[in-house]
């Protein structure tokens, strides 16, 4: 069994923000017009670990995930999502029963899945990384309140991928965004430890 982190490893940001990653298709982005108002998706997926983000989008080469965004959200918004999240799968010992978990999952505006973190060659590591799914109220808060910055990091992902493909793992590792532990106490994670 893979270990869950004692702290979430995230990219350090100035102030009180948290950086997550999202891989999207550029065709999903459109500017509002007089006849087409802004559209919020029904759900969105965010990756906490940079290795998970690389794996999920295949270094920005998977169809529908050709663009990798670094999304800075407020720490308060991130904590709200965790406090209001439900595990994406039933875990005995965490949930009283399957029916109770299903009810919780239907009402939860956020879902958490713990997936193996990945190395530069996208091989699974011995610990897990956060995947955060948002829906309903959480998507609205994410778009309207929590997001404080979005940066397209696709060129960096492709540059690092080229270094890995050429076997230059040292240069690839030096090019990665820095991550550090982001303390997350039991009040945030106790109900999400599977």
């Amino acid at each position: 069994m893979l270990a869950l982190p004692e702290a979430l490893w995230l990219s350090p940001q100035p102030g009180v923000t948290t950086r997550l990653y999202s891989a999207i298709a550029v065709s999903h982005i459109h500017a509002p017009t007089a006849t087409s108002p802004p559209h919020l998706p029904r759900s969105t997926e965010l990756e906490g670990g940079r290795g998970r983000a690389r794996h999920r989008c295949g270094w920005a080469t998977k169809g529908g995930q050709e663009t990798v965004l670094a999304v800075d959200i407020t720490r308060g918004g991130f904590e709200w999502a965790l406090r209001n999240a439900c595990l994406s799968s039933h875990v005995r010992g965490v949930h009283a029963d399957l029916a109770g978990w299903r009810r919780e999952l239907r009402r939860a505006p956020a879902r958490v899945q713990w997936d193996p973190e990945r190395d530069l060659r996208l091989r699974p590591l011995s610990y897990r990384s956060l995947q955060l799914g948002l829906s309903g109220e959480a998507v609205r808060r994410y778009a309207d309140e929590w997001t404080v910055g979005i940066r397209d990091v696709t060129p960096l992902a492709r540059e690092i991928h080229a270094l890995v493909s050429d076997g230059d793992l040292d240069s690839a590792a030096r090019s990665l965004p820095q991550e550090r532990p982001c303390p997350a106490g039991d009040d945030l994670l106790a109900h999400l430890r599977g």
Side-chain angles (χ1 to χ4, degrees):
M1 175 172 231
L2 298 176
L4 292 179
E6 290 301 314
L8 301 171
W9 284 79
L10 303 165
S11 298
Q13 299 305 307
V16 288
T17 63
T18 299
R19 175 163 291 164
L20 301 170
Y21 296 92
S22 180
I24 61 168
V26 174
S27 61
H28 291 167
I29 301 172
H30 72 280
T33 65
T35 58
S36 173
H39 167 72
L40 290 178
R42 289 185 334 162
S43 65
T44 191
E45 296 288 330
L46 299 165
E47 302 288 344
R50 61 189 185 205
R52 277 291 318 144
R54 291 188 306 264
H55 177 260
R56 174 128 180 149
C57 69
W59 293 103
T61 62
K62 287 185 182 176
Q65 298 184 49
E66 301 91 349
T67 301
V68 182
L69 302 176
V71 182
D72 296 335
I73 65 172
T74 64
R75 176 67 186 201
F78 180 62
E79 290 180 359
W80 185 95
L82 291 177
R83 279 192 188 92
N84 289 279
C86 176
L87 284 171
S88 62
S89 58
H90 177 259
V91 177
R92 287 182 189 195
V94 174
H95 305 104
D97 57 42
L98 185 61
W101 166 75
R102 285 183 176 149
R103 280 191 304 277
E104 185 181 343
L105 188 63
R106 276 194 301 274
R107 70 151 188 81
R111 296 177 181 188
V112 164
Q113 184 170 309
W114 297 102
D115 292 322
E117 184 56 74
R118 302 290 174 148
D119 68 10
L120 284 166
R121 296 196 186 272
L122 305 183
R123 297 174 300 208
L125 295 170
S126 63
Y127 59 95
R128 294 185 178 261
S129 183
L130 175 78
Q131 180 179 337
L132 180 62
L134 305 177
S135 63
E137 179 184 2
V139 171
R140 184 197 56 74
R141 287 176 178 245
Y142 168 70
D144 295 341
E145 301 169 18
W146 303 341
T147 302
V148 295
I150 300 174
R151 190 167 63 95
D152 184 350
V153 293
T154 308
L156 177 61
R158 291 185 176 146
E159 173 187 320
I160 296 170
H161 182 225
L163 291 167
V164 170
S165 295
D166 290 343
D168 190 354
L169 298 181
D170 290 336
S171 293
R174 284 192 301 274
S175 299
L176 288 172
Q178 294 299 305
E179 290 183 332
R180 64 175 168 82
C182 178
D186 276 347
D187 63 320
L188 289 178
L189 297 179
H191 66 293
L192 301 173
R193 294 197 185 276

